[in-house]
Amino acid sequence: MAKQARAWQRMLSGRRLDLLDPTPVDIEIEDIAHGLAFVARWNGQTYGDYAYSVAEHSLLVEALFHRITPDATPADRLTALLHDAPEYVIGDMISPVKAAVGPGYGALDDRLTAAIHIRFGLPAVTAPQLKRRIKKADKISAWMEATQIAGFSIGEADKFFGRPDREVIEGLRIDLRPPVEVRNDFTNRHAELLELMS
């Protein structure tokens, strides 16, 4: 009889997260923030002395989401902040790799998302309208990242992501920072939004 492969990962908090059957009690924001601060977007192919992390991206998406949806609730904004949270254990895959992996990646992402959302008092499944608005902020973020740190021309970025309204991105700039700073900012933003939800 073949030995079953281990499907859990030990987190720095001491939690054992079962990747195939994650439970909300094994989710800790410190683990998410730490993991996301060390996961590079764009497969690390960005300019600068530090990788552009998923945690930094998530902070930008939440800020953009608030700009395009100023009447969003704190819970909606927390959903935006956590939109890529499963990547703290499954990493950030560029879209072509996700397509090659197939539907198994999406199912794993969905299970992790549900556990994370339940842990922080959010609906397990994001409502379609909210998901679309977060995706819009995500695409604006991708355009900014592509043109500021990933070597895309504006024309290329426009083709792949669509050019955002100038007012939405005004005053926002991507500055690459050490992971510990980003981790702390992500954790603090999470705490602020939870406080607003209570």
Side-chain angles (χ1 to χ4, degrees):
M1 192 163 155
K3 184 179 176 184
Q4 190 173 11
R6 177 172 66 91
W8 57 266
Q9 178 177 344
R10 185 190 181 284
M11 299 294 153
L12 288 179
S13 65
R15 299 282 190 190
R16 285 188 178 189
L17 181 65
D18 184 334
L19 301 179
L20 300 180
D21 187 22
T23 62
V25 296
D26 290 321
I27 307 291
E28 299 291 347
I29 194 59
E30 292 80 9
D31 293 332
I32 293 172
H34 183 82
L36 294 183
F38 284 91
V39 174
R41 279 186 50 87
W42 303 92
N43 279 347
Q45 298 302 304
T46 53
Y47 300 119
D49 294 330
Y50 299 102
Y52 182 69
S53 72
V54 175
E56 191 82 81
H57 162 78
S58 298
L59 289 163
L60 179 58
V61 168
E62 191 265 327
L64 289 165
F65 173 76
H66 184 54
R67 285 184 174 202
I68 62 177
T69 316
D71 60 342
T73 67
D76 291 347
R77 293 174 69 185
L78 182 59
T79 304
L81 181 70
L82 296 172
H83 78 284
D84 280 338
E87 295 179 8
Y88 86 109
V89 288
I90 58 177
D92 179 47
M93 290 190 205
I94 58 174
S95 296
V97 175
K98 287 179 186 175
V101 170
Y105 178 89
L108 177 60
D109 187 271
D110 289 345
R111 284 193 299 272
L112 286 164
T113 296
I116 291 164
H117 282 191
I118 292 167
R119 169 67 175 87
F120 300 116
L122 300 170
V125 178
T126 304
Q129 183 181 15
L130 175 57
K131 197 168 194 170
R132 282 192 298 275
R133 290 188 309 214
I134 293 170
K135 188 63 182 173
K136 181 177 179 181
D138 195 30
K139 286 185 80 173
I140 295 169
S141 175
W143 186 91
M144 292 176 65
E145 295 163 24
T147 58
Q148 291 184 30
I149 59 171
F152 283 58
S153 69
I154 288 177
E156 284 178 304
D158 288 351
K159 178 181 171 186
F160 289 112
F161 309 111
R163 186 175 295 196
D165 293 335
R166 186 177 303 154
E167 310 84 60
V168 173
I169 62 173
E170 188 175 349
L172 294 176
R173 177 159 177 73
I174 296 172
D175 294 312
L176 302 180
R177 304 181 291 156
V180 67
E181 288 181 23
V182 181
R183 179 186 67 199
N184 292 341
D185 283 355
F186 185 94
T187 305
N188 291 338
R189 187 68 189 132
H190 176 268
E192 290 167 0
L193 291 169
L194 275 184
E195 179 68 24
L196 290 171
M197 286 171 59
S198 60

